[in-house]
Amino acid sequence: MSGVKRAVSLGTVISALILSGCLSGGGGGGNSKPAPAPSEPLTEQQKRIQDGFFVIDESQLPFDALGDAYAGTSRWHGVLNGAGYRVEVPENWNGMLVMYAHGYRGEVPDLTVDNPPMRQYLLDNGYAWAASSYSSNFYDVRTGVEDTNALALAFNDIAEQNGRSLPEPDKIYITGVSMGGHIAGAAIERETQQTANNFVPYAGAAPMCGVMGDTELFNYFGAYSLALFEFAGVGADAFPIPADEVPGKLEAAREALWVDYDANPNANGLTAAGAPFYATLQNLSGGPRPIYPLSFGGFQGLLQSLAGDNGTIKGILNEPVIDTTGITYRFQTLPGEPLSSAEQGFNNTIVQAVPAADANALRDDGLRLIPKVNGDLYADIPVVTVHTLGDLFVPIKMQQIYRQRMEENGWGDNLVQRAVRAPSHCDFSIAEFNSTLDAMLTWEQDGVKPAGDDLLDAELMADPAFGCTFTQDGFPQEGVRAFMPACPEV
């Protein structure tokens, strides 16, 4: 390709938003091969799958037309290799298919499918879409990639079985949110092309609010907990932190770093001892930027709930993968500046999380257990991402890591990134979903590279107006966006 009272109430809103969450055969020119049996001991996740822990309520798979104007679309649903699916093809199909990958479902057994938030845009422009429930939950990106790709490869068989004979798609694209963004990013990697049991040659990708740093997200979670306890004077002696020690350490941290955590966990509720922690989290999550001050409090409960993680990502791996040895904690200086003496002391004292060797190694039975997003594309295709500035669950740091990796691998010109002034995780307006996907599709089809934001320019990101260019306030985010500082009038 060429190329604060207000904060108290907002924190409550953000917390609620976070907790609410985010066949076989032909089509598309990809490849599918039987998965060989793993040569290593089964992980807890593989045992859950083997034991039939995950279930599909097939009565929940059918879905209605968007309205009378869309009554003529073909809408199909079913189960493919243990994963529920939905497929929709407009009457005036343009010959192109967009795969949608949903986000993290938690640790529940029930498998469910989402319609893409850009569904109307897709139908209005003639695109078919398809979405999988995946055949498992938890943070199982490996299964998400394989099941999404298998569904894309089965598109024509599904159409034929439902009485509509269609030609193979001219092009297949992929988009997704949160963990689905990780799936979309991993699906277009050279390593995926080489190791996946189901591979699709996607023509472009639009990962949104995605975990584009793969396991770096869990390093961030680990660093959060270690820093929280260190600033509170109850630093960990080892990592993983023993589960029976976590409640006491959390109580001590809330007492030391907040005036009254339960009443006000936001930035304006911190004690003097909490100020360095606030600055540290800002730098861990992507650096000084607008919206962070408003989102800080709303994520504390969620991030603190992860403090007892043993590093296997709830049994996705057999050994701990969390690694904080490459993290530098800063609360008085910015990246590129010499550490202050206080920062040097803090970094010398804090316990480091050291991963097990080969915890997420290449395998002989398909993708890694947590697929990599190396920033090494399988082909010369466009990628457009979008991320909210206030997200502290999957912070915008993930996008900065992705940019660095793409640049290092010579694919920097293939990536456009955009920032949106919103305080939570994936809380985009429909207009923002649509415009991000449209930018990628237009770029791929017309060859005109869209505009984006520079997420590696620290000075630019710290500007109070940063993120205004691609923020499009509107449904369904009108309420929360009213709390955001206004962009300057042009």
Side-chain angles (χ1 to χ4, degrees):
M1 300 293 302
S2 62
V4 169
K5 181 175 180 180
R6 191 186 204 193
V8 175
S9 58
L10 181 60
T12 303
V13 172
I14 295 171
S15 297
L17 285 170
I18 298 165
L19 293 174
S20 66
C22 9
L23 302 159
S24 66
N31 60 67
S32 179
K33 56 190 177 185
S39 60
E40 302 173 10
L42 293 180
T43 65
E44 290 303 309
Q45 177 71 346
Q46 291 170 327
K47 292 176 185 177
R48 286 188 283 261
I49 294 171
Q50 189 177 75
D51 293 344
F53 176 81
F54 301 106
V55 296
I56 303 168
D57 181 353
E58 294 189 42
S59 69
Q60 299 300 309
L61 294 177
F63 59 111
D64 295 329
L66 267 174
D68 292 344
Y70 302 90
T73 66
S74 298
R75 296 180 302 281
W76 306 315
H77 63 273
V79 178
L80 175 65
N81 301 329
Y85 68 79
R86 289 176 177 173
V87 178
E88 186 167 25
V89 185
E91 292 177 287
N92 61 332
W93 184 42
N94 65 10
M96 291 179 274
L97 172 64
V98 175
M99 302 303 297
Y100 175 70
H102 71 67
Y104 179 63
R105 288 285 197 260
E107 301 165 23
V108 299
D110 301 307
L111 305 174
T112 55
V113 187
D114 284 349
N115 297 335
M118 62 290 289
R119 180 185 178 191
Q120 182 173 351
Y121 165 89
L122 291 168
L123 298 177
D124 286 347
N125 289 278
Y127 292 94
W129 64 267
S132 172
S133 71
Y134 322 141
S135 53
S136 66
N137 288 326
F138 289 69
Y139 199 82
D140 198 343
V141 173
R142 183 184 203 234
T143 294
V145 172
E146 293 287 8
D147 289 346
T148 298
N149 287 356
L151 179 58
L153 296 171
F155 174 78
N156 289 97
D157 284 351
I158 292 171
E160 190 72 30
Q161 291 170 7
N162 284 276
R164 186 173 176 183
S165 182
L166 296 172
E168 290 190 359
D170 297 322
K171 295 177 180 179
I172 307 178
Y173 304 93
I174 188 167
T175 186
V177 297
S178 191
M179 187 184 88
H182 186 165
I183 290 167
I188 57 174
E189 285 283 322
R190 187 187 310 274
E191 184 176 297
T192 298
Q193 181 189 36
Q194 296 169 344
T195 61
N197 295 305
N198 299 291
F199 178 73
V200 174
Y202 291 108
M208 305 187 193
C209 50
V211 185
M212 308 309 290
D214 51 71
T215 55
E216 289 289 346
L217 177 65
F218 308 109
N219 301 342
Y220 161 76
F221 291 158
Y224 171 93
S225 299
L226 291 171
L228 177 74
F229 298 150
E230 193 70 24
F231 280 115
V234 289
D237 296 320
F239 193 93
I241 303 167
D244 60 349
E245 295 181 11
V246 170
K249 289 183 181 296
L250 285 175
E251 182 178 0
R254 292 173 177 181
E255 290 181 356
L257 305 183
W258 281 269
V259 175
D260 185 339
Y261 176 87
D262 292 331
N264 181 11
N266 299 289
N268 62 352
L270 291 167
T271 62
F277 173 68
Y278 172 87
T280 297
L281 181 56
Q282 178 174 251
N283 286 316
L284 287 174
S285 61
R289 61 198 185 277
I291 315 304
Y292 171 77
L294 295 173
S295 66
F296 173 85
F299 284 91
Q300 295 307 310
L302 175 60
L303 292 172
Q304 291 174 20
S305 74
L306 304 173
D309 196 304
N310 68 2
T312 67
I313 321 306
K314 304 294 184 181
I316 295 295
L317 307 173
N318 276 325
E319 300 291 341
V321 74
I322 295 177
D323 182 3
T324 64
T325 59
I327 289 176
T328 300
Y329 300 88
R330 292 179 179 270
F331 46 89
Q332 294 176 335
T333 65
L334 295 175
E337 298 176 349
L339 292 176
S340 68
S341 59
E343 289 172 332
Q344 289 176 344
F346 186 90
N347 280 275
N348 290 338
T349 302
I350 193 169
V351 164
Q352 292 182 336
V354 180
D358 297 327
N360 187 39
L362 286 166
R363 298 172 62 84
D364 58 10
D365 64 339
L367 293 166
R368 296 175 195 254
L369 294 174
I370 302 178
K372 295 292 291 181
V373 185
N374 295 313
D376 186 15
L377 301 178
Y378 88 93
D380 186 11
I381 63 171
V383 184
V384 178
T385 73
V386 66
H387 218 96
T388 57
L389 287 169
D391 192 351
L392 296 180
F393 181 39
V394 180
I396 203 164
K397 179 69 174 181
M398 296 297 104
Q399 298 292 345
Q400 295 169 333
I401 292 169
Y402 189 47
R403 165 59 71 184
Q404 291 167 337
R405 291 177 177 178
M406 290 281 273
E407 295 287 350
E408 289 167 0
N409 283 292
W411 293 110
D413 288 343
N414 291 62
L415 176 63
V416 167
Q417 297 177 295
R418 294 175 171 182
V420 165
R421 294 164 69 89
S424 194
H425 176 53
C426 301
D427 54 332
F428 303 114
S429 68
I430 294 299
E432 289 159 351
F433 279 118
N434 291 346
S435 62
T436 302
L437 181 60
D438 180 78
M440 183 273 290
L441 294 170
T442 302
W443 184 10
E444 195 279 327
Q445 293 165 26
D446 296 347
V448 179
K449 187 174 182 177
D453 287 315
D454 185 348
L455 303 183
L456 296 185
D457 187 327
E459 184 177 354
L460 186 64
M461 281 193 70
D463 189 300
F466 186 73
C468 288
T469 303
F470 301 104
T471 297
Q472 298 171 271
D473 295 337
F475 178 82
Q477 307 298 343
E478 300 95 331
V480 173
R481 296 290 177 89
F483 288 96
M484 300 299 101
C487 287
E489 295 186 11
V490 179

